[in-house]
Amino acid sequence: MRETLNQGLPALGLGTAAVPALEAFSALLLERNQVMNLTAITEPKDVAALHLLDSLALVGLAGLKRQNVVDVGTGAGFPGVPLAIALPELRVTLLDSLGKRVNFLQESCGKLGLNNVRCIHGRAEEFALKHREGFDVAVSRAVAALPVLCELCLPLVKVGGQFLAMKSSHTEEEIGQAKAGISLLGGRIIAVKDYVIPTTDVVHRLVIVEKISPTPKKYPRRFAQMKKQPLG
Ligand code: SAM
């Protein structure tokens, strides 16, 4: 793991000061993964590349530094926890609808002394009722198809802020299907960036959506409705 991080972080333009904390988080993740379902990736070297470096690729691709960020459907903490570790000035809200995962994150962030993180157990569409347009940036990885994901995430972003959707590289169709809905939600796609995760040949894609006007109050709808009739 250390070798992968020492090689991969400089390739992302980052220093290696965060390596001990990233390793400590991975150890907590793999330990708890033995008794609950947190990740299918269990080789430390793969955790380093496919979870940690993939998450940290956002720093350079989206110019993250000191924004107020919400990670929607964070699961075991990706991409939010590595970002909070590497960028102590970032303020990160980890949001997930599964209480057990949120408990794991709460405990782990406590052990790591990460005081720029808060962990929230809740559904994004309900969280938006009280935290509408409350964040500079929303990020999300592996949670839903883009049309649904945009309805979950864009209401949380301030006008002038961004929604960063982490996707696989085979998402042309999904992006096409999401465009009309993104416009209804007050956004527009400003960039689609493919990147190779350092130390691997895996290509992932970041879709950057800028929030250009307030999201109409009728969104987000209830989850069942979003799934049944995605915006488009
Ligand atoms: N982002 C993490 C990653 O890339 O490893 C976790 C991905 S996991 C496949 C999807 C997570 O999204 C689950 O932990 C699930 O509980 C959460 N989730 C799904 N729908 C959600 C919603 N509407 N609001 C909040 N969390 C949600």
Side-chain angles (χ1 to χ4, degrees), residues 31-180:
E31 188 191 337
R32 186 61 60 87
N33 200 44
Q34 295 183 355
V35 292
M36 66 178 279
N37 179 17
L38 288 170
T39 176
I41 297 170
T42 53
E43 275 298 316
K45 175 164 95 39
D46 296 337
V47 171
L50 301 176
H51 280 324
L52 302 176
L53 296 176
D54 187 33
S55 299
L56 292 170
L58 284 190
V59 176
L61 290 169
L64 295 181
K65 210 168 187 179
R66 57 183 67 199
Q67 295 94 330
N68 181 13
V69 176
V70 59
D71 180 4
V72 174
T74 187
F78 302 107
V81 172
L83 291 173
I85 290 173
L87 301 177
E89 291 183 337
L90 213 60
R91 283 155 293 146
V92 179
T93 297
L94 303 172
L95 175 68
D96 203 280
S97 54
L98 258 185
K100 279 185 176 178
R101 291 186 177 158
V102 177
N103 291 343
F104 159 74
L105 291 170
Q106 189 87 57
E107 250 179 76
S108 302
C109 291
K111 284 181 184 161
L112 294 170
L114 283 180
N115 44 30
N116 57 340
V117 174
R118 65 176 175 154
C119 304
I120 309 275
H121 174 212
R123 298 196 60 87
E125 61 276 26
E126 289 160 11
F127 184 72
L129 297 175
K130 280 205 178 148
H131 299 87
R132 200 172 186 84
E133 302 185 348
F135 296 88
D136 303 314
V137 177
V139 297
S140 194
R141 186 182 82 156
V143 173
L146 205 52
V148 170
L149 198 58
C150 287
E151 189 168 348
L152 290 175
C153 294
L154 269 172
L156 296 169
V157 179
K158 290 176 185 165
V159 173
Q162 293 186 340
F163 165 44
L164 309 174
M166 299 175 75
K167 288 280 161 190
S168 79
S169 54
H170 308 287
T171 42
E172 275 77 18
E173 202 181 327
E174 208 180 305
I175 292 173
Q177 287 165 348
K179 276 190 179 154

Side-chain angles (χ1 to χ4, degrees), residues 183-228:
S183 166
L184 285 175
L185 294 163
R188 65 162 179 181
I189 295 177
I190 56 164
V192 176
K193 298 184 179 182
D194 287 353
Y195 60 96
V196 180
I197 300 174
T199 76
T200 76
D201 52 12
V202 177
V203 180
H204 278 178
R205 173 170 287 176
L206 180 66
V207 181
I208 305 183
V209 182
E210 185 185 27
K211 179 90 172 245
I212 52 175
S213 58
T215 300
K217 287 282 185 292
K218 61 181 169 184
Y219 305 119
R221 297 166 295 165
R222 285 198 312 230
F223 194 69
Q225 211 183 342
M226 277 182 225
K227 291 271 283 186
K228 197 169 153 202

